[in-house]
Amino acid sequence: MKYRKLGKSGLLISEIGFGCMSLAENDPDNTALIHRAIDLGINFFDTADFYQKGLNEIMVGKAIREKRKDLIIASKVGNQWKADGSGWDWNPNKDYILSCIDKTLQRLQTDYIDLYQLHGGTIDDPIDETIDAFEILQRQGKIRYYGISSIRPNVIREYVRRSNIVSVMMQFSLLDRRPEETCLDLLLDNNIGVLARGSLAKGLLVDKPAAPYLNYNEAEIKKAASAISNISGTNRSKSQSAIHYVLRHPAISSAVVGIRTIGQLDDVALTSDAIALNHEEVFTLNQILNQNYYDQHR
């Protein structure tokens, strides 16, 4: 496994991260999966208080308890479940963020979070108030660093300008090149690490039947999946090719992949050992589809 610095933080994280949202509600299986990931060199695990209404953090906490000191644990805050469990509201307010951290720490069975992220964000949020909440938690030692999870360029620009974020989590893949227009270079220039999610585009680039995705139709998805398959082979699986397409950009600190099975884990964890894409392969992939761009929140 190779490791990369997470922006201007002191965190050295595995270039393949474990997206815990995909975990099923089975503690023994989850523990075995997470322990296998650790054995394969993955040290970055991403969860959120929103996932499974807190159960995801509980399951991760149980699995990492004895190995906590060797791991980088990230969680998120901002989506508040309604009291009746029927849905959720967006809540980026300072008091709410401050009220959530102790519950997250308890569920994860830890004294601190390495990376605490705002789980979304809009340009109409009380951004300075939100930032102040994270700064307070950092001073209290409850979090080491903070970041945001957002695909909105206007929101990302404000946090770059006004905060001390060390990371931005965003969707990025061959089928979602929207971050390439402005976000990736902006974050690279400001030494803010990108945590890329969706590298496999819901499996459409690897093994799922073609279906419309963002602005692409089914025929275009088939074309992209075929291109990934054509550059793969005995030295690089289709998943590894799709992930390497993401990891090629210098702004990326880690590709955070949702993993459900040992087989998936063994495949994606070996991406670090697989041959990286060469310039010709990248050029070929870039010509497959017209690049997409953000059409909102610019």
Side-chain angles (χ1 to χ4, degrees), residues 13 25 28 48 51 63 73 83 86 111 120 129 145 147 149 175 186 191 195 209 216 235 244 250 253 286 290 294:
I13 67 175
E25 295 182 13
Y51 300 157
I73 306 302
S86 63
D111 296 327
E129 178 182 319
Y145 301 98
S149 176
L175 296 181
L186 171 68
N191 198 17
L195 301 169
Y216 299 123
N235 293 320
H244 265 299
S253 295
N286 283 344
N290 291 326
Y294 290 118

Side-chain angles (χ1 to χ4, degrees), residues 128-158:
D128 288 328
E129 178 182 319
T130 302
I131 292 168
D132 191 40
F134 286 105
E135 293 282 348
I136 288 171
L137 294 177
Q138 195 171 37
R139 290 196 297 271
Q140 291 176 342
K142 294 181 178 180
I143 67 174
R144 296 177 67 188
Y145 301 98
Y146 66 94
I148 63 171
S149 176
S150 179
I151 61 171
R152 298 182 173 188
N154 58 353
V155 172
I156 292 170
R157 283 195 300 270
E158 289 304 304

Side-chain angles (χ1 to χ4, degrees), residues 6 8 12 25 45 52 86 90 99 105-106 131 139-140 146 150 160 170 176 179 198 226 236 266-267 279 285 287 294:
L6 181 62
K8 53 180 173 277
L12 196 63
E25 295 182 13
F45 295 83
Q52 297 156 300
S86 63
W90 173 240
S99 73
L105 293 174
Q106 183 178 26
I131 292 168
R139 290 196 297 271
Q140 291 176 342
Y146 66 94
S150 179
V160 170
M170 61 172 60
D176 189 355
S226 178
R236 192 198 304 127
D266 287 348
D267 184 12
H279 293 298
L285 292 177
Q287 306 309 306
Y294 290 118

Side-chain angles (χ1 to χ4, degrees), residues 182-288:
T182 58
C183 291
L184 294 184
D185 287 343
L186 171 68
L187 296 171
L188 180 63
D189 290 345
N190 285 274
N191 198 17
I192 295 169
V194 175
L195 301 169
R197 60 179 178 83
S199 304
L200 305 181
K202 297 182 177 179
L204 292 172
L205 290 171
V206 181
D207 55 10
K208 294 289 179 63
Y213 185 84
L214 297 179
N215 59 306
Y216 299 123
N217 60 36
E218 184 176 322
E220 290 171 318
I221 300 302
K222 287 182 178 179
K223 191 175 180 182
S226 178
I228 287 290
S229 181
N230 287 341
I231 66 166
S232 305
T234 56
N235 293 320
R236 192 198 304 127
S237 72
K238 290 185 287 187
S239 293
Q240 292 164 1
S241 293
I243 294 170
H244 265 299
Y245 180 82
V246 169
L247 291 175
R248 70 188 164 81
H249 197 288
I252 306 301
S253 295
S254 182
V256 182
V257 183
I259 299 168
R260 287 183 178 274
T261 70
I262 292 292
Q264 291 173 344
L265 171 61
D266 287 348
D267 184 12
V268 301
L270 291 175
T271 300
S272 279
D273 297 327
I275 299 172
L277 303 188
N278 59 43
H279 293 298
E280 182 179 347
E281 289 171 324
V282 172
F283 179 82
T284 297
L285 292 177
N286 283 344
Q287 306 309 306
I288 294 298

Side-chain angles (χ1 to χ4, degrees), residues 14-15 29 82 108 126 129 147 161 193 225 230 242 257 294:
S14 50
E15 64 177 12
D29 287 350
K82 294 180 179 179
L108 285 168
E129 178 182 319
R161 183 172 68 87
N230 287 341
V257 183
Y294 290 118

Side-chain angles (χ1 to χ4, degrees), residues 12-232:
L12 196 63
I13 67 175
S14 50
E15 64 177 12
I16 304 300
F18 195 119
C20 298
M21 182 177 68
S22 297
L23 292 175
E25 295 182 13
N26 185 307
D27 284 337
D29 287 350
N30 292 336
T31 297
L33 196 60
I34 288 174
H35 286 186
R36 172 66 175 167
I38 296 169
D39 290 342
L40 290 171
I42 293 176
N43 73 345
F44 181 75
F45 295 83
D46 177 78
T47 181
D49 62 2
F50 179 69
Y51 300 157
Q52 297 156 300
K53 299 180 180 179
L55 178 61
N56 197 269
E57 288 182 326
I58 291 173
M59 294 189 297
V60 173
K62 288 179 180 178
I64 67 166
R65 179 173 50 203
E66 297 177 0
K67 302 173 182 289
R68 172 67 182 98
K69 62 182 178 61
D70 299 319
L71 305 177
I72 307 297
I73 306 302
S75 192
K76 310 183 198 74
V77 64
N79 291 302
Q80 182 177 16
W81 283 103
K82 294 180 179 179
D84 62 3
S86 63
W88 63 90
D89 297 311
W90 173 240
N91 192 345
N93 295 318
K94 176 179 177 179
D95 289 344
Y96 177 68
I97 293 172
L98 294 176
S99 73
C100 289
I101 186 65
D102 288 336
K103 297 172 186 175
T104 281
L105 293 174
Q106 183 178 26
R107 287 190 289 262
L108 285 168
Q109 301 186 47
T110 185
D111 296 327
Y112 65 95
I113 302 295
D114 297 285
L115 179 68
Y116 205 33
Q117 302 156 98
L118 183 68
H119 203 173
T122 77
I123 200 64
D124 297 320
D125 290 347
I127 292 176
D128 288 328
E129 178 182 319
T130 302
I131 292 168
D132 191 40
F134 286 105
E135 293 282 348
I136 288 171
L137 294 177
Q138 195 171 37
R139 290 196 297 271
Q140 291 176 342
K142 294 181 178 180
I143 67 174
R144 296 177 67 188
Y145 301 98
Y146 66 94
I148 63 171
S149 176
S150 179
I151 61 171
R152 298 182 173 188
N154 58 353
V155 172
I156 292 170
R157 283 195 300 270
E158 289 304 304
Y159 276 89
V160 170
R161 183 172 68 87
R162 296 156 69 173
S163 79
N164 293 308
I165 59 169
V166 300
S167 67
V168 174
M169 176 173 282
M170 61 172 60
Q171 186 167 287
F172 180 45
S173 73
L174 177 61
L175 296 181
D176 189 355
R177 295 176 59 194
R178 296 175 297 175
E180 289 182 1
E181 183 184 5
T182 58
C183 291
L184 294 184
D185 287 343
L186 171 68
L187 296 171
L188 180 63
D189 290 345
N190 285 274
N191 198 17
I192 295 169
V194 175
L195 301 169
R197 60 179 178 83
S199 304
L200 305 181
K202 297 182 177 179
L204 292 172
L205 290 171
V206 181
D207 55 10
K208 294 289 179 63
Y213 185 84
L214 297 179
N215 59 306
Y216 299 123
N217 60 36
E218 184 176 322
E220 290 171 318
I221 300 302
K222 287 182 178 179
K223 191 175 180 182
S226 178
I228 287 290
S229 181
N230 287 341
I231 66 166
S232 305

